[in-house]
Amino acid sequence: MEDHELDRDAQTGMPPEPRTDDDPFAVPRASETVLAALAAGLREGTVSTASPRYFGHFTTAPSEIALRASAIATEANPQLATRSHAQFAVDVEDLTVRALASRFGYAPATADGTFTSGGAEANAMALALALARAFPEIAQRGLRALAGDPVLYVSNEGHATAARAARLAGLGSDGVRIVPVDRKLRMKPGALGEAIARDRARGAIPFLVVATAGATSAGTIDPIPEIAAIAERAGLWLHLDAAWGGLAAFVPELASVLEGSARADSITFDPHKTLAVPLGAGMLLTRHPRALASAFHEQAGYMPRDASRDPYARSTMWSRRFIGAPTYAVLASLGWSGVAEMLARQVALGDRLRRALGERGWSVVNDTPLPVVCFVDATHEDGARPDRLAAIAREVDARGAGWITLVRFSSGTRVLRACVTSPNTREQDIDALVDSLDSSRKAVFSRSAAP
Amino acid sequence: MEDHELDRDAQTGMPPEPRTDDDPFAVPRASETVLAALAAGLREGTVSTASPRYFGHFTTAPSEIALRASAIATEANPQLATRSHAQFAVDVEDLTVRALASRFGYAPATADGTFTSGGAEANAMALALALARAFPEIAQRGLRALAGDPVLYVSNEGHATAARAARLAGLGSDGVRIVPVDRKLRMKPGALGEAIARDRARGAIPFLVVATAGATSAGTIDPIPEIAAIAERAGLWLHLDAAWGGLAAFVPELASVLEGSARADSITFDPHKTLAVPLGAGMLLTRHPRALASAFHEQAGYMPRDASRDPYARSTMWSRRFIGAPTYAVLASLGWSGVAEMLARQVALGDRLRRALGERGWSVVNDTPLPVVCFVDATHEDGARPDRLAAIAREVDARGAGWITLVRFSSGTRVLRACVTSPNTREQDIDALVDSLDSSRKAVFSRSAAP
């Protein structure tokens, strides 16, 4: 999980304009004034995810075509709750879902899925699919009718949305088994197997394993084939949280790192992290064509003639915007080859960053082929101190060379982290970051050495 | 709940362009081609919510300023997961939330809330707030640790998202008590009180009442003060689903119909239904300032210095787009007076429609001050037959006079339904609809009378 301690104050927040707490809407204001204030506020009071020097969270810079597609969709304002009401938009989303699913190895004929507001919703939906499959009776009778406690498994580097989803689904944190990771921060399959056995022995009911591809902190990828084998043997739903790491599915050189993804029963993938589209565009994919309808179809109300394909009956949302438009437009204009090229460039920049950091005496402490690099300073005895690292990040930001974060691994270790997540990042941005890290380090340590 | 049986085929769906199921992204295409296809597809393959003659679901036509604000926010692409990362956007949303909450009678000092993808998410969040307050122990131990079955109450005209949320929260449909309605389709407070007593007597644990303001089918408003009194006496969380009917809070002439709204513990309100902003912009409001953080704060992960105000810790979403931007812009540019004027015009058009229908021999069968009108034909003995009504709606659509729906009340009665939900609708649109209903009725009945 990401550590947000770098609450740097470079961001100014509210500009002069609407800072009236009493009644900001008492007096109408000219549209141009309002829009100018909005634009200025966003410029000044936001960490710019559009910058090629944004190395922060996994948020991409929207491409021109994505912004234009988004504007077209927003202006048309189709209401995607039902298929018949917005046939074109629903068709486009279906087609995009199936095409993306096939990149993860799902068979197009049975692949299914839906766009979501982001990875959190997709992960929560996966939990609902797994519960509905394992315990069909809870749709009517609820969790309290079960003979034992449902339990899911996720590594301690997995995203906290799995735990939150479990809590909101009524399982409580007691229903979440945190599986330890190895030295490379990957879930230990042996520990997973043991945890399942232990839970069964005490009468609990394992039902879901969440594997992570591209953990938020270190970008590590759980050993999918081994985990899939365990889940299959135990008859558990396997969910792959590939919200960011799913990018590997588009880069031929990296395809092997997602080996086994097609064995997952469902997959989270976030176009807004990797496909140059604006927030929020997440996805849930599944290889079980009727799973969505059986988990989300509301049985209490009146049904359309065949609601099993209506978006409202296959999602947690009801009224729905055309989330998939920019993702479709990016894929259609780039084609798979263009997507591969865009992402391969980011992967190469990640490698360049790793190499350059090593050459300058930083110690890279994570192990992933994905473009996220975690590191501490190896040139100084205090080079791994969190306060020093945070000061370095602030200094790099102040010098305009990039926005990076301080994260904490589940072990408690804190490290600096830089990811390449913008299609606009170039070699000179990486080089500027490394140069600035170097000089920022010197500045911080000379300050701290001063009497 | 709405009946979607009017799956009219005027919508063409996918245009020629991307109808290749095998691999739509095999070959890159020119951006202009892709965007043109998207625009054309949306024009041809969508029920146009932007049309002044869209009388369908509660989806508004986005105003110019809303579209521009949306574009500005999308291009800046702030990531609202944490406050420090997008200070300006989070401040704007906070300010908008508090200002809107005050229209429902909440005290600005304690009012709280968040933007959501829509009413479904807001209703599900309200359920989570109510559960967290009634059963703090479930955060850790889950629903199965409780001494009895949690039960919530909603009328049979309430929105099906309440029932779905209950199912996804692990309560099952058995945990949802459907309270009957009176002749005016409003929840019967007496029946609610009896249901609560009955559940308690059998050892279940009532925890939530969902009152509806502006039911989807008939626009009716539950008797809020009576329901509030019962909920207060029983110590239950009261949620007011005012997703659409919340518009009354902005129209001085209608303020009385929401009397008691400030007694609700939480309120759903959808700007995308009433405030001329594009999908999806919902809101959850509450008068309990710490409720969101205690329901959604993920306790398992590492915390920022004070996450209790960070959006990710107060919502079901994690990565977040700047949902509130267009709502803020509309309110800032119109001011309360402009909003009141816009909505009062729609209310007046609803009255005009009711009057005109009555004069032309239609029978208006719902009773609400809100601009949604349900009616059947009173001039013909088959004038209430669903197939005839559906045929009339299709005919009206084909003649270009408007898009209206066929809905089913919980009693089983089916009626035609027209709502005024677009700020662009004018008197001539209403008159054209009524004229066309008249001639369409004649055409349908002359066809059906033919040998």
Side-chain angles (χ1 to χ4, degrees):
Chain A
M1 244 204 81
E2 300 200 31
D3 179 335
H4 301 291
E5 246 194 327
L6 280 187
D7 284 9
R8 297 199 290 281
D9 300 320
Q11 296 79 249
T12 55
M14 273 303 210
E17 238 261 280
R19 234 285 152 273
T20 63
D21 273 344
D22 37 345
D23 190 345
F25 308 130
V27 181
R29 276 173 294 154
S31 294
E32 298 306 325
T33 311
V34 171
L35 293 170
L38 204 57
L42 282 168
R43 219 163 27 238
E44 293 158 25
T46 315
V47 174
S48 168
T49 61
S51 162
R53 297 191 173 181
Y54 176 71
F55 302 106
H57 308 301
F58 298 138
T59 310
T60 189
S63 60
E64 176 67 21
I65 189 168
L67 291 173
R68 289 176 63 193
S70 179
I72 289 169
T74 305
E75 186 163 353
N77 202 37
Q79 160 60 282
L80 272 67
T82 55
R83 181 168 293 268
S84 64
H85 197 277
Q87 187 68 53
F88 173 78
V90 175
D91 280 353
V92 168
E93 288 201 349
D94 277 357
L95 169 150
T96 308
V97 159
R98 282 197 305 275
L100 282 168
S102 73
R103 305 314 277 189
F104 291 93
Y106 283 175
T110 53
D112 197 8
T114 183
F115 279 88
T116 67
S117 59
E121 187 180 15
N123 283 346
M125 289 178 74
L127 174 65
L129 297 188
L131 279 170
R133 199 209 23 191
F135 311 105
E137 64 270 39
I138 65 173
Q140 186 197 330
R141 298 173 59 217
L143 288 172
R144 292 170 49 76
L146 301 184
D149 296 327
V151 181
L152 67 87
Y153 304 83
V154 60
S155 92
N156 45 12
E157 290 287 330
H159 201 273
T161 45
R164 179 163 72 190
R167 186 154 50 88
L168 295 175
L171 303 181
S173 50
D174 284 356
V176 181
R177 215 55 82 238
I178 303 294
V179 183
V181 291
D182 63 18
R183 278 187 320 110
K184 293 182 168 184
L185 306 178
R186 301 173 312 179
M187 182 189 282
K188 286 181 175 170
L192 171 64
E194 286 159 23
I196 293 170
R198 210 160 39 232
D199 282 319
R200 285 194 164 149
R202 67 170 189 87
I205 315 179
F207 74 102
L208 167 64
V209 179
V210 179
T212 307
T216 311
S217 291
T220 46
I221 297 165
D222 286 340
I224 303 170
E226 289 86 340
I227 293 172
I230 292 170
E232 285 157 11
R233 211 154 45 230
L236 312 190
W237 187 278
L238 175 61
H239 177 66
L240 181 63
D241 181 353
W244 179 67
L247 72 89
F250 307 96
V251 182
E253 299 83 338
L254 288 187
S256 67
V257 309
L258 289 181
E259 195 198 322
S261 63
R263 293 162 76 181
D265 296 282
S266 56
I267 299 175
T268 289
F269 172 66
D270 280 358
H272 67 211
K273 290 186 167 66
T274 60
L275 291 181
V277 305
L279 293 157
M283 300 180 91
L284 178 72
L285 307 171
T286 175
R287 59 182 166 85
H288 302 287
R290 282 173 302 278
L292 288 171
S294 61
F296 298 106
H297 200 180
E298 186 37 55
Q299 317 234 353
Y302 179 84
M303 293 305 147
R305 279 184 301 230
D306 175 16
S308 64
R309 298 293 304 162
D310 271 338
Y312 87 90
R314 306 166 71 251
S315 159
T316 39
M317 289 184 241
W318 198 282
S319 287
R320 275 276 314 273
R321 69 190 175 93
F322 186 8
I323 301 174
T327 299
Y328 167 77
V330 166
L331 294 176
S333 75
L334 291 181
W336 297 124
S337 56
V339 172
E341 201 182 304
M342 172 177 80
L343 292 169
R345 205 160 52 221
Q346 293 175 34
V347 170
L349 292 173
D351 291 338
R352 183 185 185 92
L353 176 58
R354 256 185 289 272
R355 242 184 354 258
L357 287 172
E359 288 164 8
R360 304 287 189 99
W362 301 87
S363 173
V364 172
V365 296
N366 67 329
D367 185 1
T368 178
L370 301 172
V372 60
V373 187
C374 298
F375 55 101
V376 296
D377 178 20
T379 65
H380 195 285
E381 60 179 7
D382 286 340
R385 271 179 51 173
D387 59 336
R388 297 294 153 82
L389 295 174
I392 292 169
R394 273 193 301 269
E395 186 80 20
V396 168
D397 182 29
R399 294 170 182 224
W403 199 88
I404 62 176
T405 55
L406 187 72
V407 301
R408 185 163 84 157
F409 296 151
S410 47
S411 61
T413 305
R414 296 188 189 197
V415 300
L416 286 175
R417 170 184 176 283
C419 67
V420 182
T421 191
S422 166
N424 306 325
T425 303
R426 293 292 174 268
E427 298 189 345
Q428 59 265 34
D429 300 306
I430 300 294
D431 298 346
L433 172 65
V434 175
D435 284 345
S436 182
L437 276 164
D438 230 11
S439 49
S440 296
R441 169 173 61 181
K442 287 190 190 102
V444 165
F445 281 109
S446 74
R447 273 204 301 277
S448 66
Chain B
M1 243 205 82
E2 299 197 32
D3 180 335
H4 302 290
E5 245 193 329
L6 279 188
D7 285 8
R8 298 198 289 282
D9 301 320
Q11 297 79 248
T12 55
M14 270 307 209
E17 238 261 281
R19 236 280 156 273
T20 62
D21 273 346
D22 37 345
D23 190 345
F25 308 130
V27 180
R29 276 174 294 153
S31 295
E32 297 306 325
T33 312
V34 171
L35 293 170
L38 204 56
L42 282 167
R43 218 162 30 238
E44 293 158 26
T46 314
V47 174
S48 169
T49 61
S51 162
R53 296 189 173 183
Y54 175 72
F55 303 106
H57 307 300
F58 297 138
T59 310
T60 189
S63 60
E64 176 67 21
I65 190 169
L67 291 173
R68 289 176 62 193
S70 179
I72 289 169
T74 305
E75 187 164 350
N77 202 37
Q79 159 60 282
L80 272 67
T82 55
R83 182 168 290 269
S84 63
H85 197 278
Q87 186 70 51
F88 173 79
V90 175
D91 280 352
V92 168
E93 288 201 350
D94 277 356
L95 170 150
T96 308
V97 159
R98 282 197 304 274
L100 282 168
S102 73
R103 306 313 278 190
F104 290 94
Y106 283 175
T110 54
D112 197 8
T114 183
F115 279 89
T116 67
S117 59
E121 187 180 13
N123 283 346
M125 288 179 75
L127 174 66
L129 297 189
L131 279 171
R133 201 216 11 197
F135 311 105
E137 64 271 37
I138 65 173
Q140 186 198 329
R141 297 173 58 217
L143 288 171
R144 293 170 49 76
L146 301 183
D149 295 327
V151 182
L152 67 88
Y153 304 83
V154 61
S155 93
N156 46 11
E157 290 286 331
H159 201 273
T161 45
R164 180 163 70 189
R167 187 154 50 88
L168 294 176
L171 303 180
S173 51
D174 283 356
V176 180
R177 216 54 83 238
I178 302 294
V179 183
V181 290
D182 62 18
R183 278 187 321 109
K184 293 183 169 182
L185 306 179
R186 301 173 309 177
M187 182 188 282
K188 286 180 173 170
L192 171 65
E194 286 158 23
I196 293 170
R198 210 160 38 234
D199 282 319
R200 284 193 165 150
R202 65 170 189 89
I205 315 179
F207 73 103
L208 166 66
V209 179
V210 179
T212 306
T216 311
S217 291
T220 46
I221 297 165
D222 285 339
I224 303 170
E226 289 84 340
I227 292 172
I230 292 170
E232 286 157 9
R233 210 154 46 228
L236 312 190
W237 187 279
L238 175 61
H239 177 66
L240 181 63
D241 181 354
W244 179 67
L247 71 87
F250 307 96
V251 182
E253 299 84 338
L254 288 187
S256 66
V257 308
L258 289 182
E259 194 198 323
S261 62
R263 293 163 72 179
D265 296 282
S266 56
I267 300 174
T268 289
F269 173 66
D270 281 357
H272 67 212
K273 290 187 166 68
T274 60
L275 291 182
V277 304
L279 292 157
M283 299 179 90
L284 178 71
L285 307 171
T286 175
R287 59 181 166 84
H288 302 288
R290 281 173 303 278
L292 289 170
S294 60
F296 298 106
H297 199 181
E298 185 38 54
Q299 317 235 352
Y302 180 83
M303 295 303 149
R305 279 185 301 231
D306 176 17
S308 64
R309 297 293 305 162
D310 271 336
Y312 87 90
R314 305 167 69 252
S315 159
T316 39
M317 290 185 242
W318 197 284
S319 286
R320 276 276 314 274
R321 69 189 175 95
F322 187 7
I323 301 174
T327 300
Y328 167 78
V330 167
L331 293 176
S333 74
L334 291 181
W336 297 125
S337 56
V339 172
E341 201 182 303
M342 171 177 82
L343 293 169
R345 205 159 53 220
Q346 295 176 34
V347 169
L349 292 172
D351 291 339
R352 184 184 184 92
L353 176 58
R354 257 184 288 270
R355 245 185 350 262
L357 287 172
E359 288 163 7
R360 304 286 189 98
W362 299 87
S363 174
V364 173
V365 296
N366 67 330
D367 184 1
T368 178
L370 301 173
V372 60
V373 188
C374 297
F375 54 100
V376 296
D377 178 20
T379 65
H380 195 282
E381 60 179 7
D382 287 338
R385 271 179 51 173
D387 60 335
R388 296 294 154 85
L389 295 175
I392 292 169
R394 272 194 300 271
E395 187 79 20
V396 169
D397 182 28
R399 293 169 183 226
W403 198 87
I404 62 176
T405 55
L406 187 70
V407 302
R408 185 163 84 157
F409 296 151
S410 47
S411 61
T413 306
R414 296 188 191 198
V415 300
L416 285 175
R417 170 184 176 283
C419 67
V420 182
T421 191
S422 167
N424 307 325
T425 304
R426 294 288 174 271
E427 297 189 346
Q428 59 265 34
D429 300 306
I430 299 294
D431 298 346
L433 172 65
V434 176
D435 284 346
S436 182
L437 276 163
D438 230 11
S439 48
S440 296
R441 169 173 62 181
K442 289 191 188 101
V444 165
F445 281 109
S446 75
R447 272 205 302 274
S448 66

